[in-house]
Amino acid sequence: MRIVLSLFLSLVVYALLGIVLPASAAEFNVVIDRNYTIESDGLVRVTEVHRVTNNSNNLLISKSNQETFQIPIVGSGEDLLQKSVDTAVVNVGGVNLPFTTVLNENFAELKVAYPSELRRGQTLTFTLTYTNFGLSEKSGSLIDIYAPGFVSDFNFTQGLTTVRYNTVYRISNQLPEINFVLPETATTEVGDNYTTISFSQESLLGRTIWIQLGRTQHYYFKISLQAIATDSNNTGYMNEYRMILPRDIDEAAVTQEVFFASINPEPFQVLEDTEGNLVGYFKTPSHITTEISVVGYARVSMKDNGLKPELVTGQSDLPTDLVSFYTLPAEYWEVDNEQIQEVASTLKGNETNVYKIVENTYDFVVQNIDYSEIKRFGINERQGALRTLNGGAAVCMEYSDLFLTLIRAQGIPARAAFGYGYDPKEPENAQEGHQWVEVYMPGIDSWVSVDVTWGENGRSLIGGDLNHFYTHVAGEGPNNPTFVERVSYGSSSPLDLPSYIFNAIEEIPANSTRTAADLLKEYPEVQKTDIEVITDRFINGFREFIFGTEPSRNGRVLVLAGIILTSGAILMLMLTMLRSKKTA
């Protein structure tokens, strides 16, 4: 599984230096007001004002100095940057001044000469106005708006020059409802026409402003699975595929509704497993290479009330059946390991409130694990919670495995969630698979999404959001259920994971109303006869026996009994129907 990195890390945090560099040392103050206005068209109009004051006793700021502005965009895009620069006007005292421009990968630097020297007690005001075409993105039903912060070690005093930044966003009330604002320390004031959001300069150290508008997102998906021929001849046999289909989700803060537009070939049954995952069963001729295709849509919505941490209660309120199952160890989840238990116990301390325990564990994982770009783009083998705790290279599955294991070790139900963490900057065929965690919280009596990987980049994502699309959840272990399995006749041909094309869209087509519940009704479970069940067991056990793997004791008994009881003709038939089972 390929892993997605949170979109926060793709945003550059700029050190926007508007300070003056005088010919001689002196005391100067610079106040920078950054005002971003988003009208109903979604474009960002920027007014940036630099007020430079000379507080020195006997020095002046020479006319040879230059004032510097930066025009940033999200990611890289020379066309958007140039388009933004083309709208720029720098004004001083009512006069528009010329400026020089240097284009970098994701920001343009504008320099304007001082129109006059600045003596003691004087203030000079520079005003830059422009339209920024690279700080807002419409992705599907949402609008994401950004603005740069400062590198974490930025010093607002440089020598004897002090800089003060005021950052304000004014958002038209005609735009979709605000879903969230980061950093969360912003102050918000709702007016008749605009909602005004203000950020202190301290809150933007090491942080990027991200405002999301909209409370519902829509996604399109297409799943393709290559069904490879396993027979060279048309023997009349069919290969059987079992494949995970995207499912509905109903959590404390988030819901996901899935709609299916087309499924080809049609499944012969669609079942729901004990976790509520949707599983499609398909048959294809064993001698034909073909494709299984599933096209559909999903609506992901934030609930009106959202997650209310104050309603989450203590561990004593957890359902005992969930605790007994969802706190067990599994492969890569070494819950019983002594070191895991020690760390989990230390993090928990005397705390009993489940939300606070989750918060403490969340912070621990974020602060102690580093994301590995090398692992992401290189050899990405799963290593499990214990190795991750001891410094192993980590991507989302390591963050999730460690967090889940520590939560289980504290006696709190947790399970893995799989799907996509949507990145609006990536095309539909480049979206990457993602893993996070669900934790069961008492008091609100609901599963809650927790994505520790995205917390690495400044956002405490406890409760879910609109950028996560679910395929399935796993409680017994990270590989159960598997994405796809095959039972086939003939040779052992390769079995690859299904491929996904996945993208955000504005709305779901009106004719796409086929739900998961509809599939369960249309393709109910097909009951096998006793003979079919025995035959399946015989063939699988026979193959294990012949190829020297480790079948179960019952499998060996069935093989021997079959050899004794079946006639030579049936045995020859079974040899030609050599079946194999593969999973991915």
Side-chain angles (χ1 to χ4, degrees):
M1 185 173 67
R2 297 169 65 221
I3 309 303
V4 71
L5 179 62
S6 160
L7 63 86
F8 292 112
L9 284 184
S10 65
L11 302 179
V12 176
V13 180
Y14 304 98
L16 295 179
L17 300 179
I19 63 174
V20 179
L21 300 176
S24 302
E27 294 181 352
F28 305 100
N29 291 105
V30 182
V31 176
I32 297 178
D33 294 324
R34 302 189 297 175
N35 296 286
Y36 302 86
T37 299
I38 299 89
E39 301 290 358
S40 56
D41 58 9
L43 292 177
V44 181
R45 272 82 178 186
V46 184
T47 299
E48 185 168 323
V49 180
H50 294 196
R51 289 188 296 276
V52 184
T53 301
N54 184 347
N55 293 322
S56 68
N57 291 322
N58 54 10
L59 296 175
L60 58 81
I61 297 179
S62 169
K63 188 178 177 180
S64 62
N65 278 306
Q66 292 181 313
E67 188 66 13
T68 300
F69 294 88
Q70 286 187 354
I71 295 179
I73 63 170
V74 178
S76 59
E78 187 174 339
D79 56 337
L80 295 178
L81 200 53
Q82 185 62 61
K83 189 177 179 181
S84 301
V85 170
D86 290 343
T87 67
V89 175
V90 179
N91 185 284
V92 178
V95 178
N96 293 341
L97 299 182
F99 54 82
T100 60
T101 306
V102 177
L103 296 181
N104 297 282
E105 181 181 5
N106 40 32
F107 70 95
E109 192 171 67
L110 279 56
K111 291 184 180 292
V112 57
Y114 273 54
S116 62
E117 59 188 24
L118 197 61
R119 297 179 178 274
R120 179 189 177 195
Q122 292 181 329
T123 297
L124 196 59
T125 300
F126 297 80
T127 301
L128 167 67
T129 57
Y130 68 97
T131 298
N132 194 307
F133 295 92
L135 283 185
S136 67
E137 279 183 317
K138 190 170 192 321
S139 57
S141 307
L142 305 177
I143 298 175
D144 291 303
I145 304 165
Y146 309 98
F150 311 98
V151 292
S152 56
D153 59 351
F154 182 71
N155 192 341
F156 295 104
T157 298
Q158 305 278 340
L160 298 179
T161 301
T162 299
V163 189
R164 168 61 58 179
Y165 286 86
N166 302 307
T167 303
V168 175
Y169 256 105
R170 295 172 67 246
I171 300 173
S172 170
N173 291 339
Q174 296 181 39
L175 290 168
E177 180 184 357
I178 294 174
N179 185 29
F180 63 78
V181 176
L182 296 175
E184 296 169 345
T185 51
T187 59
T188 301
E189 181 179 343
V190 180
D192 292 336
N193 299 313
Y194 294 91
T195 296
T196 302
I197 306 171
S198 303
F199 302 88
S200 69
Q201 64 180 18
E202 290 76 18
S203 71
L204 299 181
L205 287 170
R207 303 293 300 274
T208 298
I209 294 172
W210 182 12
I211 303 171
Q212 187 171 89
L213 308 182
R215 300 275 293 177
T216 296
Q217 179 64 297
H218 300 102
Y219 293 108
Y220 160 86
F221 64 84
K222 179 181 179 181
I223 311 170
S224 300
L225 175 65
Q226 291 300 310
I228 307 297
T230 57
D231 262 349
S232 57
N233 300 313
N234 184 1
T235 58
Y237 300 123
M238 305 288 283
N239 291 338
E240 182 177 311
Y241 291 84
R242 170 194 176 278
M243 186 169 68
I244 292 290
L245 303 178
R247 58 167 291 172
D248 291 347
I249 290 291
D250 187 3
E251 292 185 348
V254 177
T255 62
Q256 175 174 291
E257 302 167 273
V258 178
F259 305 92
F260 296 91
S262 66
I263 305 177
N264 187 38
E266 290 192 34
F268 69 88
Q269 64 180 8
V270 175
L271 307 180
E272 191 175 63
D273 69 10
T274 56
E275 298 279 6
N277 297 313
L278 201 63
V279 185
Y281 291 77
F282 303 85
K283 288 184 178 181
T284 64
S286 62
H287 67 292
I288 296 177
T289 294
T290 185
E291 180 181 86
I292 298 172
S293 173
V294 180
V295 176
Y297 304 89
R299 178 187 295 119
V300 182
S301 304
M302 302 298 298
K303 290 185 176 180
D304 291 339
N305 295 330
L307 172 64
K308 295 186 179 299
E310 66 273 15
L311 299 181
V312 179
T313 57
Q315 281 189 263
S316 60
D317 295 329
L318 285 167
T320 55
D321 58 332
L322 296 184
V323 173
S324 63
F325 182 76
Y326 289 104
T327 60
L328 294 174
E331 185 180 12
Y332 306 116
W333 301 342
E334 303 95 336
V335 173
D336 292 339
N337 176 269
E338 184 177 346
Q339 185 181 358
I340 292 286
Q341 286 284 329
E342 182 179 350
V343 172
S345 178
T346 301
L347 290 172
K348 181 179 177 181
N350 295 322
E351 185 60 65
T352 60
N353 181 271
V354 170
Y355 190 89
K356 291 179 181 178
I357 295 172
V358 168
E359 272 193 318
N360 293 339
T361 308
Y362 190 106
D363 292 341
F364 170 83
V365 174
V366 170
Q367 293 166 11
N368 287 274
I369 306 301
D370 293 320
Y371 193 93
S372 172
E373 292 287 347
I374 295 176
K375 180 178 173 65
R376 177 190 178 196
F377 293 110
I379 299 175
N380 191 9
E381 295 181 355
R382 198 181 206 109
Q383 64 187 19
L386 185 59
R387 282 182 58 192
T388 302
L389 180 62
N390 289 315
V395 290
C396 67
M397 60 186 172
E398 278 75 35
Y399 279 84
S400 299
D401 286 345
L402 177 57
F403 175 78
L404 179 150
T405 302
L406 290 172
I407 289 295
R408 285 193 170 197
Q410 293 164 334
I412 299 171
R415 62 187 183 185
F418 295 90
Y420 284 78
Y422 180 69
D423 185 342
K425 299 179 299 304
E426 294 291 342
E428 63 181 20
N429 61 348
Q431 296 293 328
E432 298 183 352
H434 191 42
Q435 178 185 336
W436 59 101
V437 178
E438 283 188 329
V439 177
Y440 192 87
M441 295 194 180
I444 59 174
D445 299 325
S446 175
W447 291 100
V448 172
S449 277
V450 180
D451 193 334
V452 194
T453 315
W454 284 33
E456 181 70 35
N457 309 294
R459 184 183 181 193
S460 180
L461 192 51
I462 302 175
D465 70 353
L466 301 178
N467 290 83
H468 284 67
F469 165 76
Y470 286 80
T471 55
H472 65 287
V473 300
E476 188 174 346
N479 296 318
N480 189 7
T482 53
F483 282 90
V484 62
E485 289 182 309
R486 182 186 70 201
V487 178
S488 60
Y489 291 84
S491 63
S492 181
S493 299
L495 177 62
D496 295 325
L497 288 170
S499 63
Y500 264 78
I501 293 177
F502 173 69
N503 201 19
I505 57 174
E506 281 200 51
E507 59 184 16
I508 296 174
N511 60 350
S512 296
T513 58
R514 206 175 179 197
T515 66
D518 292 332
L519 295 189
L520 291 171
K521 291 179 181 178
E522 291 176 36
Y523 307 105
E525 183 175 6
V526 176
Q527 297 293 333
K528 290 186 177 182
T529 65
D530 292 341
I531 293 177
E532 287 176 319
V533 171
I534 293 172
T535 301
D536 283 347
R537 291 179 180 175
F538 172 82
I539 295 170
N540 287 328
F542 182 78
R543 187 181 189 282
E544 292 172 347
F545 188 85
I546 292 296
F547 286 93
T549 56
E550 293 296 330
S552 66
R553 181 176 181 275
N554 289 337
R556 290 186 180 275
V557 170
L558 281 170
V559 170
L560 293 174
I563 292 173
I564 294 171
L565 298 176
T566 57
S567 67
I570 295 176
L571 181 58
M572 290 300 296
L573 176 62
M574 294 305 178
L575 287 173
T576 63
M577 294 171 53
L578 187 63
R579 299 180 79 185
S580 62
K581 182 177 182 181
K582 278 186 170 289
T583 65

